[in-house]
Amino acid sequence: AAAMQTPAGRAAGLGRSVPPQPAGGGFGPPGSGQDAGYEGMPPEGGFGAYSDEDFVKPRGGRKWLKRSFYSVLALAVVGGGLYGGYRWTQTQYYVGANAEHVALYRGISQDLAWLSLSEIEKDHPEIELKYLPPYQRKQVEETIAEGSLANGRDKIQELATQASACKKDEQRRQADREAAVVTGEGQAGGTTGTNTSGRTTTIKPKAATPTPGPSLSEEEQKVASNCGKQQ
């Protein structure tokens, strides 16, 4: 040790070779290798028999939840759209035929498979189809969409005036025909007799007074000319 303190000893020590160290900078006796970890632990970056894929959570459950959510959302949108559409139809009105007369309907004239989209708002048996002009009768049979309740009522009033005018016009014509028949019978008829002077005379029966037809109101007079029109 004293020799190492001299300049010659230190120079000799610098010339000695250093024993080789294990590769990888690990600790332990030579030959332990770089695959062995510290004190028997697995090498860095690994976990023995497990790999990184063993610690990844499966995503199948999340996909199923997403699909279910989107399916429910789609059904809700479709159902909401159908309900909203149905509610809208119940704010609409149209005029149509009910058997042989006119009625005001709420809804639309089309049906959706098993679901009826209309019902009678108010029936009008006093407005008979046979007294409407042919073109108006056809319109009613094919339904007349009016949108709002107020417009539907206005159309009903228009048809009522027209039907009443045509009905009265028909009754007046019938009264005129009956009057003509009565007048003709009175002119053709008569009996003969002999008066006190011995002369033969013809006695004519008194003609019956024909019953006048019903009178038309001012509004009915305006539309009476439409009766019998084809279009």
Side-chain angles (χ1 to χ4, degrees):
M4 293 295 295
Q5 300 299 324
T6 63
R10 287 195 295 270
L14 292 175
R16 294 178 182 177
S17 60
V18 179
Q21 298 295 325
F27 296 92
S32 59
Q34 62 180 2
D35 293 336
Y38 179 72
E39 295 183 355
M41 294 295 291
E44 184 179 358
F47 294 89
Y50 297 96
S51 63
D52 293 341
E53 296 180 356
D54 294 327
F55 295 91
V56 178
K57 294 183 179 180
R59 297 184 178 181
R62 292 183 179 180
K63 290 183 179 179
W64 182 84
L65 288 175
K66 285 184 178 180
R67 291 175 182 174
S68 300
F69 172 75
Y70 289 139
S71 298
V72 172
L73 182 61
L75 291 175
V77 171
V78 173
L82 291 176
Y83 179 72
Y86 174 77
R87 288 293 301 273
W88 175 83
T89 63
Q90 300 309 294
T91 64
Q92 303 299 300
Y93 294 85
Y94 70 92
V95 176
N98 182 24
E100 298 300 323
H101 56 270
V102 175
L104 176 62
Y105 290 83
R106 177 164 59 91
I108 59 176
S109 58
Q110 290 79 16
D111 291 337
L112 182 61
W114 66 93
L115 180 63
S116 177
L117 299 179
S118 65
E119 62 181 3
I120 294 178
E121 175 71 15
K122 188 173 183 180
D123 204 15
H124 291 274
E126 74 279 4
I127 308 177
E128 299 180 76
L129 293 176
K130 65 181 181 180
Y131 291 119
L132 290 175
Y135 77 95
Q136 277 191 334
R137 188 185 315 151
K138 183 178 180 181
Q139 289 177 348
V140 172
E141 291 172 345
E142 294 177 352
T143 71
I144 305 172
E146 291 297 335
S148 67
L149 178 59
N151 291 342
R153 288 173 174 170
D154 289 343
K155 190 64 177 181
I156 288 292
Q157 182 59 45
E158 176 187 334
L159 295 173
T161 301
Q162 183 66 71
S164 178
C166 293
K167 183 177 182 179
K168 290 180 179 180
D169 184 67
E170 177 62 26
Q171 291 173 345
R172 292 180 65 180
R173 292 175 184 273
Q174 181 65 26
D176 291 343
R177 288 192 293 268
E178 292 176 355
V181 171
V182 170
T183 302
E185 290 178 351
Q187 292 177 349
T191 59
T192 58
T194 303
N195 57 16
T196 55
S197 61
R199 295 180 181 179
T200 302
T201 59
T202 301
I203 303 174
K204 295 182 179 180
K206 186 177 181 180
T209 303
T211 303
S215 59
L216 278 68
S217 67
E218 183 177 351
E219 292 298 324
E220 291 171 345
Q221 291 176 8
K222 294 178 181 179
V223 298
S225 59
N226 295 331
C227 300
K229 282 188 176 181
Q230 299 297 322
Q231 58 182 6

